[in-house]
């Protein structure tokens, strides 16, 4: 069922992108295209809901969803997640400043209105729609067969390659496209490891949603060159993931 779910999630996402392309070409309606883009990011949730009766025939969908958010979350877990993301963002700003001499104040979106709009848009664009399927279902099922670290890497790779069409629409080509894809995959796998570590401490989907949101949001509010930002950010996330693997080698990633 996991393999079927992944296959159909890929197929439906590609179909959505085809419809978006046709809509922009034929209707030339940006608002309609934006709505379809948001809906496409919920593909993993739509497929999971459609397949739910076959995946868990003895459980109700609503009870399953409630159970994913029922466990109490420790304040220390939330604090740690926010601090990690904050230091990664600060580290990215300072590294870009040193390497490419871009002033820090020019690297960030400074309008409070823009910050709020970007936060809300990014929340519905990815984290809210993706985590029920990728973490609530796929990660939990994989962890029944493999240790959490291996499961996290598998989910990260599958989740990363799911974005393949977006790589081709990034505007990059040649070596820049190769760099973009490699950095994207490294960042996604590292984020998947971080998500798995904290999610196994508190089995609540708010954890994956929060980490996913902070990752997307920190990328979105940085106004510099996208490739430079992604390259630096992916390296920082890999370092954090590596530290977490070492610190939690007997706990939430190897048990």
């Amino acid at each position: 069922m996991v393999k079927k779910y992944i296959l159909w999630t890929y197929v439906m996402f590609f179909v959505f992108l085809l419809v978006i392309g046709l809509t922009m070409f034929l209707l030339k309606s940006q608002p309609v295209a934006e709505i379809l883009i948001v809906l496409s990011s919920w593909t993993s949730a739509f497929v999971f809901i459609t397949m739910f009766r076959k995946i868990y025939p003895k459980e109700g969908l609503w009870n399953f969803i409630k159970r994913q958010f029922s466990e109490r979350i420790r304040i220390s877990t939330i604090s740690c997640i926010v601090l990690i993301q904050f230091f990664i963002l600060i580290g990215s700003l300072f590294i870009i400043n040193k390497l490419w001499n871009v002033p820090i104040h020019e690297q960030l979106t400074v309008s409070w209105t823009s910050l709020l709009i970007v936060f809300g848009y990014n929340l519905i664009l990815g984290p809210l729609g993706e985590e029920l399927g990728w973490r609530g279902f796929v990660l939990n099922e994989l962890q029944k067969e493999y240790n959490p670290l291996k499961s996290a890497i598998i989910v990260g790779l599958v989740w990363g390659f799911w974005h393949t069409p977006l790589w081709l629409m990034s505007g990059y080509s040649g070596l820049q496209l190769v760099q973009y894809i490699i950095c994207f995959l490294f960042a996604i796998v590292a984020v998947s490891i971080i998500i798995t570590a904290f999610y196994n401490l508190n089995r609540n989907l708010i954890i994956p949603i929060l980490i996913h949101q902070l990752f997307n949001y920190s990328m979105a509010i940085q106004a510099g060159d996208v490739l430079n930002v992604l390259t630096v950010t992916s390296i920082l996330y890999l370092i954090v993931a590596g530290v977490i693997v070492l610190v939690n080698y007997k706990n939430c990633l190897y048990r």
Side-chain angles (χ1 to χ4, degrees):
M1 293 308 297
V2 170
K3 291 179 181 178
K4 287 183 179 180
Y5 169 79
I6 291 170
L7 174 62
W8 280 111
T9 301
Y10 271 60
V11 170
M12 290 303 298
F13 186 55
F14 296 161
V15 170
F16 255 116
L17 293 180
L18 179 61
V19 172
I20 292 169
L22 290 173
T23 300
M24 296 181 71
F25 179 75
L26 297 175
L27 300 181
K28 295 180 172 58
S29 174
Q30 189 62 34
V32 174
E34 287 293 336
I35 292 173
L36 289 174
I37 288 170
V38 171
L39 290 176
S40 70
S41 70
W42 285 68
T43 301
S44 58
F46 295 151
V47 173
F48 177 71
I49 291 170
T50 303
M51 294 180 63
F52 183 80
R53 286 296 181 187
K54 292 183 178 180
I55 298 171
Y56 300 117
K58 296 182 179 180
E59 186 170 11
L61 175 61
W62 183 239
N63 286 334
F64 176 87
I65 293 175
K66 287 196 297 183
R67 187 157 51 81
Q68 303 309 306
F69 296 93
S70 62
E71 185 167 323
R72 185 177 179 181
I73 303 174
R74 302 185 188 95
I75 298 298
S76 58
T77 302
I78 298 294
S79 302
C80 191
I81 290 169
V82 173
L83 283 174
I84 286 173
Q85 183 56 67
F86 175 76
F87 284 120
I88 288 176
L89 175 60
I90 296 299
S92 175
L93 296 175
F94 275 98
I95 291 172
I96 291 174
N97 172 253
K98 295 299 180 182
L99 292 179
W100 292 284
N101 199 31
V102 181
I104 291 177
H105 69 274
E106 293 182 9
Q107 296 182 48
L108 286 171
T109 302
V110 293
S111 166
W112 283 106
T113 304
S114 298
L115 289 172
L116 290 173
I117 292 173
V118 171
F119 186 89
Y121 180 72
N122 275 272
L123 184 61
I124 63 172
L125 186 62
L128 285 181
E130 294 181 26
E131 295 306 328
L132 179 63
W134 293 126
R135 245 59 65 167
F137 169 53
V138 177
L139 177 63
N140 282 325
E141 290 300 315
L142 287 176
Q143 289 192 107
K144 295 176 182 178
E145 299 292 332
Y146 310 108
N147 68 44
L149 179 58
K150 185 175 182 179
S151 301
I153 293 172
I154 293 172
V155 174
L157 290 173
V158 172
W159 184 33
F161 280 105
W162 180 66
H163 293 83
T164 299
L166 303 184
W167 302 343
L168 303 178
M169 294 186 292
S170 64
Y172 295 110
S173 60
L175 291 177
Q176 284 189 324
L177 179 59
V178 173
Q179 180 184 347
Y180 182 86
I181 292 172
I182 291 173
C183 291
F184 191 100
L185 279 176
F186 280 162
I188 286 291
V189 171
V191 170
S192 183
I193 291 171
I194 295 169
I195 285 176
T196 303
F198 284 102
Y199 179 55
N200 284 346
L201 290 175
N202 289 140
R203 289 281 181 148
N204 191 312
L205 276 187
I206 288 177
I207 298 296
I209 290 171
L210 177 61
I211 296 173
H212 189 170
Q213 168 68 355
L214 291 177
F215 170 70
N216 285 4
Y217 185 60
S218 68
M219 293 287 295
I221 63 175
Q222 293 183 68
D225 181 87
V226 174
L227 190 56
N228 291 341
V229 172
L230 179 60
T231 301
V232 172
T233 301
S234 66
I235 293 171
L236 293 175
Y237 267 99
L238 279 172
I239 293 172
V240 171
V243 171
I244 289 176
V245 167
L246 294 175
V247 170
N248 291 277
Y249 72 99
K250 286 185 178 178
N251 238 342
C252 48
L253 285 175
Y254 279 85
R255 183 173 296 175

